[in-house]
């Protein structure tokens, strides 16, 4: 299926070139103000997020740079004038383990401060790893004054409701879909506690919400799962994830 689409894309591209309109659009791009910023050492993910921090400097993140056993992610302050960068000293507390600092970085129009976040702090909770995160705010007007982290501590383990998103598209064979359901069953058996809830969603060309959290039946959930038949069709993953977020946010 995927191959077919790729082949079709190739055909369309070819047609497009053959039928190319003779009109040409031109832009005049001045190269003088360009800056090529490079670090002297390799920093994984460098450039993932770039924020104009002040009139004369940028913040550039390298969220995958491992610079200590439990330290992942670093943010650099780079000078526009000479493209030099130095790591921003952010006081990450000891529990900010492997947080991928700088994976998310933003600034609002109304504030001079930049928010720098690391959202991948792993926490082992009885068989599942939950990911938490924290953010720091940095103010260039007050010589890089930092606030945070927000939140100051990580959430304790608590019962977690889980939604399973099953890929029921045509590229998944019948036996694979069935293996998927077996996997889900085994996982639920391990995680099922008096208050935990589960939801089952299948996606292909369309997303099917089979069982919402409030429809989960503690005594009949295996039957609820058995009853889900593979729909087949395309693979609209993004739409499915959107639907799941909606299911999660329902009461
Ligand atoms: C943090 O990541 C490093 C590199 O992947 C790994 O060796 C280390 O065990 C991780 N630490 C924790 C607590 O997960």
């Amino acid at each position: 299926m995927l191959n077919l689409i790729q082949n079709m894309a190739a055909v369309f591209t070819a047609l497009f070139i053959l039928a190319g309109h003779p009109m040409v659009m031109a832009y005049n791009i001045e190269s003088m103000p360009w800056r090529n910023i490079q670090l002297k050492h390799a920093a994984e993910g460098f450039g993932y997020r770039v924020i104009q921090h002040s009139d004369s400097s940028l913040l550039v993140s390298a969220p995958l740079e491992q610079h200590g056993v439990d330290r992942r992610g670093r943010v650099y302050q780079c000078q526009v004038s000479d493209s030099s960068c130095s790591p921003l000293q952010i006081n990450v507390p000891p529990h900010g383990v492997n947080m991928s600092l700088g994976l998310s970085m933003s600034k609002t129009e109304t504030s001079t401060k930049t928010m720098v976040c690391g959202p991948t702090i792993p926490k082992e909770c009885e068989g599942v790893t939950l990911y938490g995160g924290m953010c720091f705010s940095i103010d260039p007007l007050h010589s890089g004054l930092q606030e945070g982290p927000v939140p100051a501590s990580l959430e304790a383990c608590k019962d977690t409701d889980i939604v399973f998103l099953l890929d029921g598209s045509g590229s998944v064979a019948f036996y694979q879909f069935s293996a998927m359901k077996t996997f889900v069953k085994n996982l639920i058996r391990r995680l099922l506690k008096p208050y935990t809830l589960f939801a089952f969603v299948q996606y292909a060309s369309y997303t099917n919400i089979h069982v919402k959290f409030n429809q989960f039946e503690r005594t009949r959930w295996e039957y609820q799962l058995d009853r889900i038949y593979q729909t087949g069709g395309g693979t609209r993953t993004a739409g499915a994830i959107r639907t799941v977020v909606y299911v999660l946010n329902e009461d």
Side-chain angles (χ1 to χ4, degrees):
M1 190 61 187
L2 199 65
N3 266 332
L4 180 68
I5 292 172
Q6 276 165 352
N7 289 340
M8 277 170 62
V11 171
F12 281 133
T13 314
L15 283 178
F16 181 74
I17 291 168
L18 288 177
H21 208 268
M23 190 174 74
V24 172
M25 300 249 237
Y27 297 94
N28 191 1
I29 300 176
E30 198 183 347
S31 62
M32 281 300 281
W34 289 15
R35 287 289 175 271
N36 183 2
I37 297 177
Q38 269 176 333
L39 292 183
K40 292 194 182 71
H41 65 286
E44 196 97 13
F46 182 72
Y48 185 73
R49 286 278 178 272
V50 179
I51 298 267
Q52 171 120 30
H53 189 49
S54 65
D55 288 347
S56 59
S57 73
L58 306 170
L59 292 186
V60 182
S61 72
L64 299 181
E65 183 184 358
Q66 195 80 33
H67 58 101
V69 192
D70 290 339
R71 304 286 102 170
R72 184 182 305 151
R74 205 140 61 161
V75 174
Y76 292 83
Q77 181 159 8
C78 301
Q79 301 306 324
V80 176
S81 56
D82 61 359
S83 304
S84 67
C85 299
S86 53
L88 206 61
Q89 299 306 326
I90 295 182
N91 299 318
V92 175
H95 59 275
V97 168
N98 288 345
M99 56 156 45
S100 310
L101 189 68
L103 194 62
S104 159
M105 214 158 66
S106 72
K107 179 173 166 169
T108 57
E109 309 248 315
T110 51
S111 166
T112 56
K113 296 177 188 170
T114 298
M115 285 297 269
V116 176
C117 303
T120 64
I121 306 172
K123 191 172 178 82
E124 296 299 331
C125 292
E126 292 180 57
V128 280
T129 308
L130 302 180
Y131 288 89
M134 50 182 66
C135 297
F136 304 84
S137 115
I138 293 147
D139 190 347
L141 291 188
H142 297 94
S143 53
L145 178 77
Q146 284 176 33
E147 289 164 32
V150 178
S153 58
L154 292 173
E155 267 188 65
C157 288
K158 56 180 186 195
D159 289 349
T160 310
D161 299 335
I162 297 178
V163 52
F164 290 100
L165 186 54
L166 306 175
D167 180 352
S169 68
S171 53
V172 173
F174 176 77
Y175 76 91
Q176 291 172 320
F177 192 74
S178 159
M180 229 184 274
K181 291 205 283 191
T182 307
F183 170 82
V184 169
K185 279 184 189 170
N186 289 337
L187 200 59
I188 293 181
R189 281 188 199 112
R190 265 176 44 197
L191 302 176
L192 191 64
K193 287 196 229 115
Y195 299 105
T196 45
L197 294 175
F198 298 90
F200 307 132
V201 177
Q202 176 182 194
Y203 76 102
S205 301
Y206 300 96
T207 305
N208 249 318
I209 303 173
H210 292 285
V211 176
K212 293 183 187 178
F213 285 130
N214 60 13
Q215 294 168 329
F216 180 76
E217 294 183 57
R218 212 152 284 284
T219 52
R220 268 178 17 121
W221 63 268
E222 297 204 23
Y223 170 70
Q224 288 184 306
L225 198 56
D226 285 335
R227 237 177 21 182
I228 298 174
Y229 293 106
Q230 185 176 2
T231 51
T235 317
R236 296 233 172 120
T237 312
I241 293 173
R242 250 197 310 274
T243 308
V244 162
V245 171
Y246 157 80
V247 171
L248 283 173
N249 287 330
E250 270 192 338
D251 48 16

